[in-house]
Amino acid sequence: MMPRRLGLRVPVVALLALLAACADKAPPTAVAGRAEAEPVAAPLLTHTVGSGDHIINLGIPGRAFDISEAGQVTGAASFPGTTKPRGFVWTPSGPNSTSGMVQSLPALSVRDSSYAYEINESGQVVGTSRNPQGRERAALWTPDGAGGYRVKDLGVIEYPGLHSWGAAISNAGHVVGTAQDAARAQRAFLWTPTSPGDTTGTMLNLGTLGGTRSFARGVNSNGWVVGESYTAGGLTRAFLWTPNTGMIDLGALPGSNNSTATAINEAGQIVGNSGSFGFLWTPTAPGATTGTMQSLGKLPTYLSTGSNATGLNEDGVVVGTTNMSSHYPAMIWSAEAGMRDLPMDGDFGEAYAINGQGHVAGWTQVRENGVLVGRAVIWRGVMGNVAPTAAVSVPAGAVTNHSYVLNAGGSTDPDGDALEYIWYYEKDGRVENFSGLRTPQVSFTFRETGVYTIRVVARDDDGLTDTAQASVTVEQNLAPTVTLTGGPVTVGEGVKAVLPFGVSDPNQATDSTEVSTMLYAWEWSDGRSYTGTGWRTFPDQGTYTFTLYAKDRGGLVGSVTSTVTVTNTAPTIAVHVPASTLEGATYAITASSPSDAGTADRPTLQFAFDCGRGAGYGAFSTTRAATCPALADQDTFNARAKVRDKDGAEREYVRTVRVVNARPVVQAQLADPNAPQGPVAFRFTDGGSADGPWTYRVRRGNGTYTAWMPATPGTWITTPAYTYPSGSHDEAVYVRDKDGGIGYSAPVTLVVP
């Protein structure tokens, strides 16, 4: 048990409203007690607000009421899947770690409410839960040894009392709170276990200061109890109860008649509130029941109107809230530093408990995704400044004129303060500050050989410092050596020339990055230059001389010179020739998409064409097409095209052309327009001028044909007359060439009277 408690134990109805205010639309995954579910990790957010003050957002939409020395946190929250608030225990993954697991505590009645107010160092938790009969009862949760908790109803002082409310627990297992007596009046109680840590015990009515009610708020391992009681005169006064003295009125601060006590530590120091201010009551001697009440005052600002003390630790450091004109921040108070507010993102927060490490449990508004939400939190780094611990890492060895990163990023500050870094080096007895930067990483260039001592001073924002140092031995930088590993290279125009080379450096053993960080530059006899590991293509044939330079980080350069022989590459084109053409028709040979791997050759390309009839190629020119003459007869032959660059490299393309027979074209009509009964005359043409001899025949109107008869193209020929009976009769003329191609006329109608 840490000696800290809620300043005024809120009734369950009020706490429900408080928890609803803390909840947002997306609470974390709920984890019930042993009987309901296994614990899972709670969402954990950490951020810094202000100098040296840290808020650990537990991601729980509720309030953290207590924190143990090991960093276990207990409180109450609204969890998804339940309609009632549940007490919870947040257990860090290690003592005071910032990551951990949240576990909701089982209620006395399944799916009913529970509220966990305090936890002792054995992990026992005390609070309030509703039983199956709907009674609010003081509840004691004890770890079951299997990762869950058993819950026990501590009952009432005496029946027919109905309700009791648990408030605090000591490390010896004492539980205090408020319970109804036989008259159902509220009385402070002390529940004492049969033995420390036991779950059986007896409940004692602590009585009152003469009034009708009393409330117990805190207890220490001696069984000393604090709280408040009504007096016979109707006042509310803070009390201290001990087994030897019973209930003692602690009085009130000057200017006030009323007071309440909220927590007591093992030394007997008591905190509470009187009038508008929190107080610290200190015994005149350890174990004494007499002492003095000191006002904690308020924040040193005219906006502050008072304070409220809720908890304290063994060092007498007090936490609670302060009253401002428009908001209510959480506060911390110590005898040395006085009162100051704790950091918040919003305007509201309450601190309920503080452990020996100065870690404070409570709730406040934090900003998540730009929205203020209420969350259970732990404040850290609020007890006063502690010096940082500096750390520095340097290279194992170094080379002159090389830049190296020096790293103090391993430095830490127990308060989480932001650190600045001051860098020095010591060389041959002289000490110099070498960087104006205050960052954890800086670059430093070693200019001389010998041993350097690198020193970094880590300083927090309150001025406390720590120093770390390390030594570096620096050797003289030497130039690298560059060699070609593949010998002289021969490639064609436009072909990527990969130029293999090797680099060695005398300082590689000291600085293993010496070769890997080398910079390379290439200079060529054609005026081209570039950086990198080296390949290129060439625009034209010829011999190219290059020099490769390798520069280390210290600026020293090695080089090698060699040549590349580039051979000419013939250009290319796409050739287009019709696969077939008719007798008597001309055709074209065209060249498209001319290209040359040598970019210098491309503007100079020329073309020549051979129609394939024995005349050979025409002259080379820049014209990309040739028209070939018509052929008199069907045939198959090869047409050719060439492309040539300025250096005489040629590429020839051959395409096969097939000349197809053309059928005769026949025109027929009446030989005499005045003789409709006939005969018919016709004439014809043939694209194949070598297709003779030609013959013709007539298809009569009765479907019979004449014999084939000689015909000559270009002249009108009158067909033999034929006698038809009266009526209309259609005749057509068919002409055949020597290759069997037949053309025919449209029908001619003869009319016989």
Side-chain angles (χ1 to χ4, degrees):
M1 185 283 304
M2 284 307 301
R4 58 261 174 238
R5 199 55 276 133
L6 282 165
L8 295 173
R9 174 66 64 223
V10 290
V12 171
V13 172
L15 184 57
L16 282 168
L18 292 174
L19 294 177
C22 291
D24 64 9
K25 294 183 179 180
T29 304
V31 182
R34 181 75 179 169
E36 297 175 84
E38 294 298 321
V40 299
L44 186 71
L45 306 173
T46 302
H47 66 273
T48 300
V49 181
S51 173
D53 295 326
H54 294 255
I55 300 176
I56 309 301
N57 176 1
L58 300 182
I60 302 170
R63 302 190 174 209
F65 292 131
D66 197 15
I67 183 168
S68 71
E69 294 298 333
Q72 278 192 296
V73 175
T74 191
S78 297
F79 288 99
T82 62
T83 59
K84 305 293 180 63
R86 283 293 178 90
F88 69 82
V89 173
W90 182 84
T91 301
S93 52
N96 291 305
S97 171
T98 59
S99 62
M101 309 282 283
V102 62
Q103 184 175 17
S104 69
L105 295 173
L108 291 170
S109 175
V110 176
R111 301 186 185 283
D112 216 318
S113 58
S114 63
Y115 308 88
Y117 297 125
E118 197 160 294
I119 185 169
N120 67 15
E121 299 309 315
S122 299
Q124 289 184 297
V125 179
V126 70
T128 300
S129 181
R130 196 178 295 273
N131 68 13
Q133 290 74 41
R135 318 297 191 214
E136 290 179 339
R137 291 296 178 85
L140 174 65
W141 287 272
T142 302
D144 63 7
Y149 283 86
R150 297 186 300 271
V151 60
K152 178 179 176 62
D153 184 342
L154 296 184
V156 294
I157 293 174
E158 51 191 359
Y159 293 95
L162 300 178
H163 302 285
S164 61
W165 299 268
I169 185 170
S170 74
N171 285 330
H174 303 98
V175 176
V176 297
T178 304
Q180 291 182 331
D181 61 11
R184 297 186 179 175
Q186 292 176 316
R187 293 288 188 269
F189 74 79
L190 169 65
W191 183 89
T192 303
T194 305
S195 60
D198 206 343
T199 58
T200 61
T202 56
M203 184 178 287
L204 176 65
N205 184 344
L206 300 185
T208 71
L209 291 174
T212 57
R213 297 181 181 181
S214 61
F215 307 88
R217 306 298 189 189
V219 62
N220 66 15
S221 296
N222 296 321
W224 291 20
V225 183
V226 296
E228 71 267 7
S229 172
Y230 290 7
T231 67
L235 300 176
T236 300
R237 300 300 279 265
F239 72 76
L240 167 64
W241 182 96
T242 75
N244 296 327
T245 64
M247 191 173 288
I248 301 170
D249 186 341
L250 295 180
L253 289 174
S256 177
N257 293 320
N258 297 302
S259 59
T260 62
T262 56
I264 181 172
N265 66 15
E266 300 298 336
Q269 290 179 296
I270 299 168
V271 293
N273 303 286
S274 180
S276 298
F277 303 100
F279 69 75
L280 173 65
W281 185 93
T282 303
T284 55
T289 57
T290 59
T292 57
M293 183 180 289
Q294 172 188 0
S295 173
L296 301 183
K298 61 181 183 176
L299 287 174
T301 169
Y302 73 93
L303 295 174
S304 179
T305 60
S307 58
N308 181 42
T310 55
L312 82 167
N313 66 10
E314 297 305 322
D315 296 319
V317 180
V318 182
V319 295
T321 57
T322 61
N323 301 325
M324 306 287 281
S325 60
S326 60
H327 60 285
Y328 301 92
M331 69 85 175
I332 186 169
W333 178 95
S334 68
E336 297 80 15
M339 183 180 297
R340 66 186 181 91
D341 57 339
L342 295 176
M344 303 185 302
D345 285 344
D347 293 332
F348 302 98
E350 294 178 272
Y352 297 118
I354 181 171
N355 67 11
Q357 286 74 45
H359 300 167
V360 180
W363 82 276
T364 188
Q365 291 174 305
V366 297
R367 196 171 300 279
E368 294 179 4
N369 299 320
V371 178
L372 285 175
V373 293
R375 290 288 185 261
V377 301
I378 302 171
W379 283 276
R380 296 193 176 183
V382 295
M383 280 291 291
N385 194 36
V386 179
T389 299
V392 64
S393 63
V394 299
V399 179
T400 57
N401 299 318
H402 284 43
S403 177
Y404 295 88
V405 174
L406 309 179
N407 192 347
S411 303
T412 59
D413 188 278
D415 305 315
D417 290 349
L419 299 179
E420 68 171 357
Y421 303 86
I422 307 168
W423 293 89
Y424 300 90
Y425 76 83
E426 181 178 351
K427 174 74 166 60
D428 298 332
R430 70 181 188 273
V431 177
E432 294 187 20
N433 172 227
F434 63 81
S435 176
L437 299 177
R438 294 292 184 262
T439 55
Q441 289 188 351
V442 296
S443 294
F444 181 67
T445 300
F446 296 93
R447 300 299 183 187
E448 304 172 9
T449 60
V451 178
Y452 284 72
T453 298
I454 302 298
R455 187 174 296 123
V456 64
V457 178
R459 181 169 64 190
D460 67 17
D461 46 23
D462 293 313
L464 294 186
T465 64
D466 187 40
T467 302
Q469 65 182 42
S471 296
V472 182
T473 299
V474 182
E475 68 178 29
Q476 182 64 44
N477 187 30
L478 300 174
T481 299
V482 187
T483 57
L484 291 176
T485 59
V489 175
T490 298
V491 295
E493 293 172 330
V495 177
K496 180 192 294 186
V498 179
L499 307 171
F501 64 91
V503 177
S504 61
D505 194 286
N507 302 116
Q508 179 71 15
T510 299
D511 187 339
S512 61
T513 66
E514 190 75 340
V515 171
S516 62
T517 58
M518 202 76 66
L519 299 177
Y520 301 96
W522 302 76
E523 291 186 356
W524 293 85
S525 56
D526 63 347
R528 185 176 178 187
S529 62
Y530 53 86
T531 60
T533 53
W535 64 267
R536 67 164 291 187
T537 58
F538 298 88
D540 205 358
Q541 67 181 24
T543 299
Y544 295 76
T545 301
F546 69 89
T547 300
L548 166 62
Y549 301 92
K551 182 171 71 174
D552 67 20
R553 289 190 292 126
L556 295 186
V557 177
S559 66
V560 65
T561 299
S562 187
T563 60
V564 174
T565 300
V566 180
T567 59
N568 191 29
T569 301
T572 61
I573 54 173
V575 176
H576 306 278
V577 176
S580 63
T581 186
L582 291 173
E583 297 168 331
T586 62
Y587 66 94
I589 307 174
T590 60
S592 65
S593 304
S595 182
D596 195 299
T599 56
D601 289 343
R602 292 174 188 172
T604 70
L605 298 184
Q606 293 186 320
F607 313 90
F609 304 95
D610 177 2
C611 290
R613 303 311 294 169
Y617 277 100
F620 277 97
S621 72
T622 58
T623 301
R624 299 185 186 180
T627 300
C628 295
L631 297 180
D633 203 357
Q634 64 183 23
D635 197 0
T636 299
F637 59 93
N638 290 328
R640 292 173 171 81
K642 285 184 180 181
V643 59
R644 183 173 67 187
D645 65 19
K646 65 178 176 53
D647 300 311
E650 295 182 357
R651 193 181 302 273
E652 183 181 44
Y653 298 84
V654 178
R655 298 289 184 266
T656 299
V657 180
R658 177 168 167 261
V659 180
V660 180
N661 186 37
R663 295 184 300 175
V665 177
V666 184
Q667 177 186 3
Q669 63 185 36
L670 290 172
D672 182 356
N674 297 316
Q677 71 275 14
V680 171
F682 73 93
R683 66 179 177 182
F684 70 93
T685 60
D686 195 319
S689 58
D691 275 354
W694 293 270
T695 56
Y696 80 95
R697 68 177 179 176
V698 180
R699 178 179 62 80
R700 301 297 188 184
N702 58 8
T704 61
Y705 289 87
T706 67
W708 289 100
M709 297 170 283
T712 300
T715 61
W716 284 99
I717 300 173
T718 301
T719 63
Y722 187 77
T723 302
Y724 289 101
S726 296
S728 296
H729 306 275
D730 290 336
E731 287 189 353
V733 179
Y734 290 75
V735 178
R736 180 174 65 184
D737 64 21
K738 68 176 178 58
D739 298 313
I742 297 175
Y744 54 89
S745 71
V748 178
T749 301
L750 307 182
V751 179
V752 179

